[in-house]
Amino acid sequence: MRTFTDWLRQRSEPDWTAVVTHPFTQGLFDGLVPVASMRSYLVQDYQFVDDFLALLGSALAKADRYSSRLAIAGSIAVVTSEENTYFRRAFDALGVGEADRVRPKLDEATVAFRELMSDTNARGSYAEVLTVLTVAEWTYLEWAMRAPAALPENFVHAEWITLHNNPDFRSWVRWLCRELDRVGADLDERDRARCLRLFQHATRCELDFFNTHWS
C-alpha cells in the first residue's frame, strides 16, 4: 500500500531524484568537491541551523502527543551538539572567518529555503511543519546512503556523509516518515494538497541549493 510520504515523493519527481543523485554528492563521495565550493556550501548551509531549530521547535509545540515530542527533542539535541561541532571543526579546517560564519552574504537559494522554513514555522500546521522537515532530512539520508564503504580521507567530506548516514539518523528519518504518514492519514483533500505543494517547494529548494554550489 502506498503511503502518504511515498505519494508526496513520487509527485515531486524529477526534482527528488535530481537531489539525491546530484553530482555534488558524488563529488563528496570521491573527495573531489573543490575547497572553495565546499567552503561556500557549508557556510551557506550553516545559515539554515537557526531556522531549522525553530522549525523543530514548532513541531515540538504543535505535536499531538508526548511520544512525538520526545522524538523531536532528540533531534534538537543532535543539531545543537554533534552537527554544530562538525561545523566548527570544518570551518576551522577551511579557514572560514567569524564574519562568514555568522553574517555571510546569502545566496538566493539560501534565502528562499530560509523563507520557506520561517513561513512554515509561523503559519504551518503540524503536518505542514513535518512535511518540510521530512524533505530536509529524507533527501540527505537518501543521497548519503549512496556513499561507498570507502569514504574520502578528508574529514570535511567524510563526516558530512556519516552525519547523514548512521543508525541514529536513519532511525530519525524513518520516524519522520511514519509520523507524517500517521498525521497525513487524517488530512482532508485541501490539506493534503497543501502538504504536496510544500513538499515540492522544499525539494526544489534543496535542488537549487546543490546547483548553486556545483557547476
Side-chain angles (χ1 to χ4, degrees), residues 19-209:
V19 172
V20 302
T21 62
H22 199 279
F24 185 95
T25 64
Q26 186 60 52
L28 277 175
F29 302 156
D30 297 336
L32 296 177
V33 177
V35 171
S37 296
M38 195 68 195
R39 188 181 190 276
S40 67
Y41 169 85
L42 289 177
V43 165
Q44 294 293 313
D45 195 279
Y46 192 60
Q47 307 315 304
F48 296 130
V49 172
D50 186 54
D51 298 283
F52 190 74
L53 279 174
L55 197 60
L56 285 169
S58 181
L60 192 71
K62 294 173 180 178
D64 57 352
R65 59 187 188 182
Y66 178 64
S67 60
S68 298
R69 297 187 203 278
L70 287 179
I72 296 162
S75 181
I76 292 173
V78 171
V79 174
T80 56
S81 55
E82 289 100 321
E83 189 165 325
N84 197 57
T85 298
Y86 164 80
F87 274 114
R88 291 202 307 270
R89 293 173 59 235
F91 287 159
D92 288 344
L94 294 169
V96 178
E98 185 66 19
D100 281 338
R101 299 185 191 203
V102 299
R103 293 183 305 276
K105 180 180 179 181
L106 300 181
D107 296 329
E108 289 183 9
T110 305
V111 172
F113 210 167
R114 289 186 65 180
E115 288 177 348
L116 173 60
M117 290 184 191
S118 179
D119 185 68
T120 306
N121 175 18
R123 300 179 178 84
S125 66
Y126 182 46
E128 290 164 359
V129 170
L130 284 175
T131 296
V132 176
L133 289 172
T134 298
V135 172
E137 301 288 58
W138 195 9
T139 53
Y140 268 56
L141 173 64
E142 287 288 307
W143 70 250
M145 287 179 64
R146 295 176 55 250
L151 295 176
E153 293 182 4
N154 188 334
F155 86 89
V156 174
H157 296 128
E159 290 187 22
W160 190 241
I161 296 167
T162 57
L163 273 172
H164 298 101
N165 183 20
N166 61 72
D168 289 340
F169 190 70
R170 290 194 294 271
S171 178
W172 161 241
V173 175
R174 284 195 299 268
W175 180 86
L176 272 176
C177 290
R178 289 196 306 269
E179 183 76 348
L180 184 52
D181 288 336
R182 178 183 71 83
V183 175
D186 295 327
L187 297 179
D188 60 25
E189 186 175 345
R190 187 179 72 171
D191 288 339
R192 286 171 64 88
R194 286 176 59 84
C195 286
L196 177 59
R197 288 194 295 272
L198 281 172
F199 198 99
Q200 292 172 333
H201 186 179
T203 301
R204 184 68 214 184
C205 284
E206 292 284 9
L207 181 56
D208 289 344
F209 188 73

Side-chain angles (χ1 to χ4, degrees), residues 3-15:
T3 65
F4 184 47
T5 49
D6 286 338
W7 177 75
L8 292 169
R9 186 194 67 227
Q10 290 165 7
R11 293 289 296 273
S12 299
E13 294 290 2
D15 286 349

